[in-house]
């Protein structure tokens, strides 16, 4: 009897509906796509269902919807100022998408959309793309002052520009990798420890009782993963706000 | 971990192969737990997140769903919540303003009430004393009038009594004269002269 536990299997993507290869690119409605659709539907349903009564004194669900709104709104306002509120729908969408994706991923047997780097990278590029496009549209070449810190001696300036440039370019990478690696590593760790339980319980009485240790570990890791799921969504939103703030006020 | 595995043998953390009889690496050759890296053919080109063949599908659906999410949020969900929050904010501000207005109103009303109360109390005292004076005055005049009336009635009655007495005395003399005349007539059989009878009666009454 071989217990086969594959901690990587949970990240596998398969086609539910194969859409063929129009233009030579293979496309399909995958399990990932199904979860994305489900996440969007869940967010929309949650927010509209919770506010269906539009009551003056909010109920439990409406409080949650209002809380998420005010939480993101205050984050945007405190990091990017009142001007940043024009990006509020974007930041809110990113936050809710990442949050719901992370939490949905915590459901056993489900798929974690944000555990794929192409998804997190695409979200990060949306942020950086918005920053660059809005920055140039709003400030023109003045946006480039972002890379030229003021009050720096002339001989240091070339180095500073290079450093600023590298730091700017590394933003989308760090933004996408942070979320991707957190979700990937957390889910692998949980799966590995859960695998230990299965293996040890199959290994006799000593193993059966010894399995308490990895079980405790899995419980702790699950709690940690819930924290990480919320935290990473928040970090993603906050960093988005900080980067958007650069687009709004590039002069430091 | 090696001390925990039992007689069942080797446990392989490897790719989930649909056929259990497929030979897995490590089976039978050495005991121990292997958390194996799955062979490349099991997941296309290895580690799923780096499998570039799935990228186009993921990107397309991410674009579709995220744009849909953005539109749903910015057009429907967020304005709705914003309206609710704004309405509540306005309502609270209105209520506070209303409460302040009502409070000042009630304060002025209380002051006016206090004033009215003091005025009314003074007025009531004045009315009471006035009424008392008026009533006692009326009672006095009533008493005097009554006394005068009673005195008049008394005098009247006294006068009447005196008149009755004199008329009664006159009648007594007439009756005495008639009686004396009749007595004389019976005794003597002769009619006495009225003047002599009257003189004799007057002499008798006068004595």
């Amino acid at each position: 009897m071989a217990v086969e536990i594959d901690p990587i299997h949970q990240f596998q993507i398969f086609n539910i509906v194969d859409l063929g290869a129009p233009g030579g690119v293979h496309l399909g409605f995958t399990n990932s796509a199904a979860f994305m659709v489900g996440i969007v539907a869940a967010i929309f349903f949650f927010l509209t269902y919770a506010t269906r009564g539009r009551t003056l004194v909010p109920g439990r669900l409406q409080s949650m919807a209002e809380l998420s709104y005010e939480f993101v709104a205050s984050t945007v306002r405190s990091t990017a100022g009142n001007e940043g509120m024009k990006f509020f729908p974007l930041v809110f969408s990113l936050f809710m998408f990442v949050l719901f994706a992370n939490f949905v991923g915590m459901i056993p047997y489900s798929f974690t959309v944000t555990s794929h780097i192409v998804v997190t990278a695409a979200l990060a590029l949306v942020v950086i793309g918005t920053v660059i496009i809005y920055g140039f549209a709003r400030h023109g070449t003045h946006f480039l002052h972002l890379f030229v810190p003021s009050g720096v001696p002339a001989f240091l300036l070339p180095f500073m520009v290079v450093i600023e440039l590298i730091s700017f370019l590394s933003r989308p990478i760090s933004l996408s990798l942070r979320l991707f690696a957190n979700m990937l590593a957390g889910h692998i760790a949980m799966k590995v420890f859960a695998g230990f339980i299965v293996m040890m319980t199959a290994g006799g009485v000593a193993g059966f009782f010894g399995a308490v240790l990895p079980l405790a570990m899995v419980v702790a890791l699950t709690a940690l993963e819930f924290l990480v799921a919320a935290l990473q969504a928040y970090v993603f939103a906050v960093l988005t706000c900080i980067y958007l703030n650069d687009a709004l006020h590039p002069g430091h | 971990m090696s001390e925990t595995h039992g007689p069942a043998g080797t446990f392989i953390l490897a790719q989930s192969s649909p056929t259990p009889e497929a030979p897995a690496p490590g089976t039978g050759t050495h005991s121990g737990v292997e958390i194996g890296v799955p062979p490349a053919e099991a997941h296309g080109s290895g580690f799923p997140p780096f499998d570039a063949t799935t990228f186009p599908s993921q990107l397309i659906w991410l674009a579709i769903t995220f744009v849909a999410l953005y539109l749903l949020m910015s057009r429907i969900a967020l304005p709705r919540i914003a309206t609710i929050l704004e309405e509540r904010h306005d309502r609270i501000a209105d209520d506070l303003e209303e409460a302040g207005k009502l409070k000042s109103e009630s304060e002025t009303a209380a002051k006016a009430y206090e004033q009215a109360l003091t005025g009314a109390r003074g007025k009531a005292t004045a009315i009471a004393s006035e009424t008392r004076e008026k009533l006692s005055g009326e009672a006095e005049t009533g008493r005097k009038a009554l006394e005068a009336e009673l005195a008049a009635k008394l005098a009247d009655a006294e006068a009447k009594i005196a008149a009755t007495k004199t008329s009664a005395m006159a009648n007594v003399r007439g009756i005495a004269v008639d009686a004396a005349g009749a007595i004389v007539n019976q005794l003597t059989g002769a009619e006495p002269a009225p003047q002599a009878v009257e003189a004799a009666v007057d002499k008798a009454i006068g004595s």
Side-chain angles (χ1 to χ4, degrees), chain A residues 58-80:
Chain A
R60 262 176 268 181
L61 270 178
Q62 194 180 323
S63 288
M64 281 172 72
E66 287 173 11
L67 200 69
S68 55
Y69 179 99
E70 287 186 323
F71 177 69
V72 178
S74 71
T75 306
V76 172
R77 222 175 264 128
S78 63
T79 47

Side-chain angles (χ1 to χ4, degrees), chain A:
Chain A
M1 184 189 103
V3 183
E4 291 173 348
I5 297 158
D6 178 8
I8 304 300
H9 179 69
Q10 58 178 322
F11 304 114
Q12 207 165 5
I13 285 181
F14 54 85
N15 280 339
I16 296 172
V17 181
D18 200 330
L19 300 177
V25 183
H26 193 82
L27 291 177
F29 187 76
T30 61
N31 55 336
S32 168
F35 273 94
M36 288 178 194
V37 172
I39 286 161
V40 170
I43 295 169
F44 184 65
F45 178 75
F46 162 60
L47 290 178
T48 48
Y49 180 75
T51 56
R52 72 198 178 283
R54 295 164 184 259
T55 48
L56 198 65
V57 179
R60 262 176 268 181
L61 270 178
Q62 194 180 323
S63 288
M64 281 172 72
E66 287 173 11
L67 200 69
S68 55
Y69 179 99
E70 287 186 323
F71 177 69
V72 178
S74 71
T75 306
V76 172
R77 222 175 264 128
S78 63
T79 47
N82 272 329
E83 249 183 297
M85 285 308 279
K86 62 167 72 78
F87 295 117
F88 173 62
L90 176 68
V91 178
F92 188 82
S93 301
L94 281 168
F95 175 73
M96 291 305 265
F97 188 83
V98 174
L99 186 74
F100 269 64
N102 292 354
F103 274 131
V104 165
M106 289 304 293
I107 300 169
Y109 300 107
S110 70
F111 178 83
T112 316
V113 173
T114 43
S115 68
H116 276 257
I117 187 148
V118 67
V119 172
T120 59
L123 293 177
L125 284 176
V126 166
V127 173
I128 296 301
T130 308
V131 168
I132 292 172
I133 292 168
Y134 181 80
F136 277 116
R138 171 87 189 273
H139 302 287
T141 51
H142 181 69
F143 180 62
L144 293 173
H145 281 244
L146 186 63
F147 306 114
V148 187
S150 53
V152 174
F155 67 93
L156 272 178
L157 208 54
F159 298 104
M160 290 306 293
V161 169
V162 169
I163 289 169
E164 290 280 344
L165 207 59
I166 292 171
S167 109
F168 185 83
L169 292 177
S170 65
R171 281 173 179 183
I173 300 168
S174 71
L175 195 59
S176 56
L177 275 181
R178 182 182 300 108
L179 179 58
F180 160 66
N182 266 289
M183 299 327 291
L184 186 81
H187 282 263
I188 290 178
M190 281 206 293
K191 198 77 169 194
V192 166
F193 276 99
F196 286 159
I197 301 173
V198 177
M199 285 188 295
M200 289 169 80
T201 48
V205 177
F208 185 82
F209 288 104
V212 168
L213 292 175
L215 178 65
M217 199 66 192
V218 169
V219 172
L221 272 176
T222 308
L224 180 71
E225 275 310 297
F226 272 110
L227 174 71
V228 167
L231 201 64
Q232 287 305 319
Y234 175 63
V235 166
F236 203 95
V238 167
L239 287 174
T240 302
C241 292
I242 292 172
Y243 299 158
L244 288 171
N245 186 39
D246 281 345
L248 290 161
H249 317 103
H252 281 284

Side-chain angles (χ1 to χ4, degrees), chain B residues 3-207:
Chain B
E3 73 277 7
T4 58
H5 60 81
T10 311
F11 304 96
I12 300 132
L13 275 79
Q15 85 285 2
S16 58
S17 167
T19 53
E21 66 275 7
T27 309
T29 52
H30 47 83
S31 61
V33 176
E34 294 191 4
I35 299 175
V37 177
E41 64 269 20
H43 295 302
S45 53
F47 194 50
F50 297 143
D51 179 2
T53 59
T54 66
F55 286 2
S57 301
Q58 290 199 68
L59 287 175
I60 287 271
W61 287 105
L62 178 66
I64 293 169
T65 50
F66 194 74
V67 167
L69 178 68
Y70 183 83
L71 291 178
L72 287 174
M73 292 299 107
S74 58
R75 297 277 156 83
I76 300 170
L78 293 179
R80 199 159 145 165
I81 300 176
T83 324
I84 292 172
L85 292 175
E86 206 171 301
E87 271 170 12
R88 177 172 317 140
H89 186 262
D90 288 355
R91 176 72 184 268
I92 289 171
D94 283 359
D95 283 0
L96 280 178
E97 199 179 305
E98 182 79 12
K101 213 175 77 186
L102 288 179
K103 195 184 167 209
S104 67
E105 261 174 28
S106 71
E107 268 167 10
T108 48
K111 219 173 266 175
Y113 167 77
E114 203 71 35
Q115 259 175 4
L117 198 67
T118 346
R121 205 174 277 141
K123 215 185 245 176
T125 326
I127 287 172
S129 61
E130 195 181 302
T131 311
R132 203 180 300 123
E133 272 166 24
K134 198 171 122 192
L135 285 180
S136 64
E138 268 173 16
E140 191 71 19
T141 48
R143 193 170 57 83
K144 269 179 191 156
L146 198 64
E147 269 172 10
E149 202 182 318
L150 287 177
K153 271 185 185 161
L154 198 66
D156 204 19
E158 269 169 8
K160 234 181 225 168
I161 288 166
T164 312
K165 198 180 169 188
T166 41
S167 74
M169 288 307 286
N171 287 350
V172 165
R173 184 177 160 268
I175 292 164
V177 170
D178 286 348
I183 290 166
V184 170
N185 192 27
Q186 283 287 315
L187 291 178
T188 60
E191 190 77 32
Q195 287 86 4
V197 175
E198 273 177 35
V201 167
D202 284 339
K203 199 179 166 189
I205 291 170
S207 59

